[in-house]
Amino acid sequence: MDNLARNLDISYVAMEYGKVVSLKEEAYLVRTDFGEVVSEKAVSCLVQPQEGDVVLLTVGSKGESFILSVLKRKNEKKQKTEITFKGNVSFNIKDGEFSLATDKNISLATNENMMLASDKISVHANKGEASIEKFSFIGNFFHTQVKRFKMVAISVENICRRFTQRVKDSFRFVEDLDEVQTGSARYLVKDTLTMQSKDAVHMAEEIVTINAEQIHLG
């Protein structure tokens, strides 16, 4: 289709209102008062034009035409407004803050990496859910405080130089084998130590010592 803007005898850039009739890739067919014009989207036009939009466009003497902005759209609440950039994009804010708010959902998606860098990051939510195939955390100090903690895993492995637990009551249920391998072990019980089993075996290579005021066997 020949661009009718090439047939205009003008030596300056004219601004016109138009309506997007159709679009194909990066070319937009816009209907104006003087005919239909094939236009490109200007870099400054952030909103992606859609079919039926009323737009502001320029027409040059050499036939070039650019859509500057989208002025009006039918069913604006039902249609999705798309802001499109081509190439690398950077937002720089000097001496101010940046706020993003919505009454509904916010989605962030990328086919590659997503990076966040800040002096402090705070996240506040009523509920949270994360699904990560592989997760790694590296830091100097980690602190957590919760009312209830539940973990379900097939295998858990902890490797640390020192491990300390302080609890009021501790219960552990092991269905099969419970094995502890240590250089030395020490149990300090304030009141009564009770051990109950069907069979009990105590083995030592050298000395077994039992020291008490009274010893009852049988």
Side-chain angles (χ1 to χ4, degrees), residues 39-56:
S39 300
E40 299 180 35
K41 185 172 76 73
V43 177
S44 60
C45 182
L46 301 181
V47 176
Q48 185 71 24
Q50 297 180 6
E51 187 174 330
D53 288 352
V54 177
V55 297
L56 177 65

PDB file of all heavy atoms in Angstrom, residues 39-56:
ATOM      1  N   SER A  39       2.480   4.619   9.529  1.00  0.00           N
ATOM      2  CA  SER A  39       3.299   5.329  10.507  1.00  0.00           C
ATOM      3  C   SER A  39       4.131   4.348  11.319  1.00  0.00           C
ATOM      4  O   SER A  39       3.818   3.156  11.425  1.00  0.00           O
ATOM      5  CB  SER A  39       2.412   6.155  11.460  1.00  0.00           C
ATOM      6  OG  SER A  39       1.658   7.104  10.742  1.00  0.00           O
ATOM      7  N   GLU A  40       5.179   4.901  11.891  1.00  0.00           N
ATOM      8  CA  GLU A  40       5.987   4.179  12.869  1.00  0.00           C
ATOM      9  C   GLU A  40       5.719   4.762  14.255  1.00  0.00           C
ATOM     10  O   GLU A  40       5.280   5.902  14.387  1.00  0.00           O
ATOM     11  CB  GLU A  40       7.479   4.319  12.554  1.00  0.00           C
ATOM     12  CG  GLU A  40       7.893   3.766  11.213  1.00  0.00           C
ATOM     13  CD  GLU A  40       9.385   3.955  10.977  1.00  0.00           C
ATOM     14  OE1 GLU A  40      10.158   3.860  11.963  1.00  0.00           O
ATOM     15  OE2 GLU A  40       9.770   4.208   9.827  1.00  0.00           O
ATOM     16  N   LYS A  41       6.001   3.975  15.261  1.00  0.00           N
ATOM     17  CA  LYS A  41       5.857   4.458  16.635  1.00  0.00           C
ATOM     18  C   LYS A  41       7.124   5.208  17.027  1.00  0.00           C
ATOM     19  O   LYS A  41       8.218   4.679  16.931  1.00  0.00           O
ATOM     20  CB  LYS A  41       5.620   3.297  17.610  1.00  0.00           C
ATOM     21  CG  LYS A  41       5.343   3.737  19.039  1.00  0.00           C
ATOM     22  CD  LYS A  41       4.932   2.562  19.900  1.00  0.00           C
ATOM     23  CE  LYS A  41       6.134   1.701  20.255  1.00  0.00           C
ATOM     24  NZ  LYS A  41       7.011   2.356  21.260  1.00  0.00           N
ATOM     25  N   ALA A  42       6.963   6.452  17.458  1.00  0.00           N
ATOM     26  CA  ALA A  42       8.110   7.248  17.890  1.00  0.00           C
ATOM     27  C   ALA A  42       8.704   6.665  19.172  1.00  0.00           C
ATOM     28  O   ALA A  42       8.013   6.017  19.967  1.00  0.00           O
ATOM     29  CB  ALA A  42       7.697   8.698  18.109  1.00  0.00           C
ATOM     30  N   VAL A  43       9.980   6.906  19.366  1.00  0.00           N
ATOM     31  CA  VAL A  43      10.643   6.415  20.575  1.00  0.00           C
ATOM     32  C   VAL A  43      10.008   7.017  21.828  1.00  0.00           C
ATOM     33  O   VAL A  43       9.885   6.362  22.870  1.00  0.00           O
ATOM     34  CB  VAL A  43      12.150   6.734  20.527  1.00  0.00           C
ATOM     35  CG1 VAL A  43      12.838   6.300  21.805  1.00  0.00           C
ATOM     36  CG2 VAL A  43      12.795   6.058  19.319  1.00  0.00           C
ATOM     37  N   SER A  44       9.564   8.252  21.733  1.00  0.00           N
ATOM     38  CA  SER A  44       8.952   8.922  22.882  1.00  0.00           C
ATOM     39  C   SER A  44       7.543   8.431  23.180  1.00  0.00           C
ATOM     40  O   SER A  44       7.004   8.721  24.243  1.00  0.00           O
ATOM     41  CB  SER A  44       8.918  10.437  22.647  1.00  0.00           C
ATOM     42  OG  SER A  44       8.157  10.743  21.482  1.00  0.00           O
ATOM     43  N   CYS A  45       6.930   7.685  22.265  1.00  0.00           N
ATOM     44  CA  CYS A  45       5.600   7.127  22.489  1.00  0.00           C
ATOM     45  C   CYS A  45       5.763   5.819  23.255  1.00  0.00           C
ATOM     46  O   CYS A  45       6.074   4.786  22.675  1.00  0.00           O
ATOM     47  CB  CYS A  45       4.880   6.902  21.159  1.00  0.00           C
ATOM     48  SG  CYS A  45       3.196   6.262  21.351  1.00  0.00           S
ATOM     49  N   LEU A  46       5.559   5.873  24.560  1.00  0.00           N
ATOM     50  CA  LEU A  46       5.803   4.695  25.392  1.00  0.00           C
ATOM     51  C   LEU A  46       4.662   3.686  25.322  1.00  0.00           C
ATOM     52  O   LEU A  46       4.897   2.481  25.340  1.00  0.00           O
ATOM     53  CB  LEU A  46       6.024   5.128  26.847  1.00  0.00           C
ATOM     54  CG  LEU A  46       7.195   6.089  27.089  1.00  0.00           C
ATOM     55  CD1 LEU A  46       7.313   6.403  28.576  1.00  0.00           C
ATOM     56  CD2 LEU A  46       8.492   5.509  26.563  1.00  0.00           C
ATOM     57  N   VAL A  47       3.417   4.171  25.228  1.00  0.00           N
ATOM     58  CA  VAL A  47       2.275   3.262  25.189  1.00  0.00           C
ATOM     59  C   VAL A  47       2.180   2.620  23.810  1.00  0.00           C
ATOM     60  O   VAL A  47       2.220   3.301  22.788  1.00  0.00           O
ATOM     61  CB  VAL A  47       0.973   4.015  25.528  1.00  0.00           C
ATOM     62  CG1 VAL A  47      -0.232   3.092  25.399  1.00  0.00           C
ATOM     63  CG2 VAL A  47       1.056   4.598  26.922  1.00  0.00           C
ATOM     64  N   GLN A  48       2.094   1.298  23.796  1.00  0.00           N
ATOM     65  CA  GLN A  48       1.993   0.566  22.533  1.00  0.00           C
ATOM     66  C   GLN A  48       0.625   0.801  21.903  1.00  0.00           C
ATOM     67  O   GLN A  48      -0.408   0.476  22.489  1.00  0.00           O
ATOM     68  CB  GLN A  48       2.206  -0.928  22.789  1.00  0.00           C
ATOM     69  CG  GLN A  48       2.230  -1.778  21.533  1.00  0.00           C
ATOM     70  CD  GLN A  48       3.487  -1.552  20.713  1.00  0.00           C
ATOM     71  OE1 GLN A  48       4.511  -1.140  21.243  1.00  0.00           O
ATOM     72  NE2 GLN A  48       3.407  -1.803  19.425  1.00  0.00           N
ATOM     73  N   PRO A  49       0.560   1.402  20.684  1.00  0.00           N
ATOM     74  CA  PRO A  49      -0.734   1.638  20.037  1.00  0.00           C
ATOM     75  C   PRO A  49      -1.427   0.324  19.695  1.00  0.00           C
ATOM     76  O   PRO A  49      -0.781  -0.670  19.350  1.00  0.00           O
ATOM     77  CB  PRO A  49      -0.363   2.422  18.771  1.00  0.00           C
ATOM     78  CG  PRO A  49       0.998   2.980  19.047  1.00  0.00           C
ATOM     79  CD  PRO A  49       1.680   1.970  19.898  1.00  0.00           C
ATOM     80  N   GLN A  50      -2.764   0.359  19.788  1.00  0.00           N
ATOM     81  CA  GLN A  50      -3.573  -0.794  19.445  1.00  0.00           C
ATOM     82  C   GLN A  50      -4.622  -0.388  18.421  1.00  0.00           C
ATOM     83  O   GLN A  50      -4.897   0.795  18.208  1.00  0.00           O
ATOM     84  CB  GLN A  50      -4.245  -1.375  20.698  1.00  0.00           C
ATOM     85  CG  GLN A  50      -3.279  -1.906  21.733  1.00  0.00           C
ATOM     86  CD  GLN A  50      -3.987  -2.471  22.943  1.00  0.00           C
ATOM     87  OE1 GLN A  50      -5.224  -2.577  22.966  1.00  0.00           O
ATOM     88  NE2 GLN A  50      -3.225  -2.847  23.963  1.00  0.00           N
ATOM     89  N   GLU A  51      -5.190  -1.386  17.799  1.00  0.00           N
ATOM     90  CA  GLU A  51      -6.206  -1.130  16.787  1.00  0.00           C
ATOM     91  C   GLU A  51      -7.406  -0.439  17.420  1.00  0.00           C
ATOM     92  O   GLU A  51      -7.934  -0.880  18.438  1.00  0.00           O
ATOM     93  CB  GLU A  51      -6.633  -2.452  16.145  1.00  0.00           C
ATOM     94  CG  GLU A  51      -7.565  -2.290  14.953  1.00  0.00           C
ATOM     95  CD  GLU A  51      -7.848  -3.608  14.264  1.00  0.00           C
ATOM     96  OE1 GLU A  51      -6.959  -4.488  14.305  1.00  0.00           O
ATOM     97  OE2 GLU A  51      -8.950  -3.756  13.705  1.00  0.00           O
ATOM     98  N   GLY A  52      -7.841   0.689  16.821  1.00  0.00           N
ATOM     99  CA  GLY A  52      -8.947   1.474  17.331  1.00  0.00           C
ATOM    100  C   GLY A  52      -8.522   2.659  18.172  1.00  0.00           C
ATOM    101  O   GLY A  52      -9.373   3.474  18.548  1.00  0.00           O
ATOM    102  N   ASP A  53      -7.228   2.794  18.489  1.00  0.00           N
ATOM    103  CA  ASP A  53      -6.753   3.918  19.303  1.00  0.00           C
ATOM    104  C   ASP A  53      -6.780   5.220  18.501  1.00  0.00           C
ATOM    105  O   ASP A  53      -6.492   5.242  17.294  1.00  0.00           O
ATOM    106  CB  ASP A  53      -5.326   3.660  19.783  1.00  0.00           C
ATOM    107  CG  ASP A  53      -5.270   2.578  20.847  1.00  0.00           C
ATOM    108  OD1 ASP A  53      -6.332   2.146  21.312  1.00  0.00           O
ATOM    109  OD2 ASP A  53      -4.151   2.163  21.207  1.00  0.00           O
ATOM    110  N   VAL A  54      -7.109   6.303  19.199  1.00  0.00           N
ATOM    111  CA  VAL A  54      -6.965   7.642  18.629  1.00  0.00           C
ATOM    112  C   VAL A  54      -5.580   8.146  19.003  1.00  0.00           C
ATOM    113  O   VAL A  54      -5.220   8.190  20.183  1.00  0.00           O
ATOM    114  CB  VAL A  54      -8.049   8.595  19.162  1.00  0.00           C
ATOM    115  CG1 VAL A  54      -7.846  10.003  18.609  1.00  0.00           C
ATOM    116  CG2 VAL A  54      -9.440   8.080  18.797  1.00  0.00           C
ATOM    117  N   VAL A  55      -4.790   8.536  17.994  1.00  0.00           N
ATOM    118  CA  VAL A  55      -3.390   8.876  18.217  1.00  0.00           C
ATOM    119  C   VAL A  55      -3.078  10.252  17.653  1.00  0.00           C
ATOM    120  O   VAL A  55      -3.812  10.792  16.824  1.00  0.00           O
ATOM    121  CB  VAL A  55      -2.455   7.829  17.560  1.00  0.00           C
ATOM    122  CG1 VAL A  55      -2.645   6.454  18.188  1.00  0.00           C
ATOM    123  CG2 VAL A  55      -2.677   7.763  16.049  1.00  0.00           C
ATOM    124  N   LEU A  56      -1.973  10.808  18.139  1.00  0.00           N
ATOM    125  CA  LEU A  56      -1.410  12.046  17.599  1.00  0.00           C
ATOM    126  C   LEU A  56      -0.175  11.677  16.803  1.00  0.00           C
ATOM    127  O   LEU A  56       0.735  11.017  17.330  1.00  0.00           O
ATOM    128  CB  LEU A  56      -1.056  13.007  18.731  1.00  0.00           C
ATOM    129  CG  LEU A  56      -0.396  14.326  18.320  1.00  0.00           C
ATOM    130  CD1 LEU A  56      -1.362  15.182  17.502  1.00  0.00           C
ATOM    131  CD2 LEU A  56       0.093  15.098  19.548  1.00  0.00           C
TER     132      LEU A  56
END
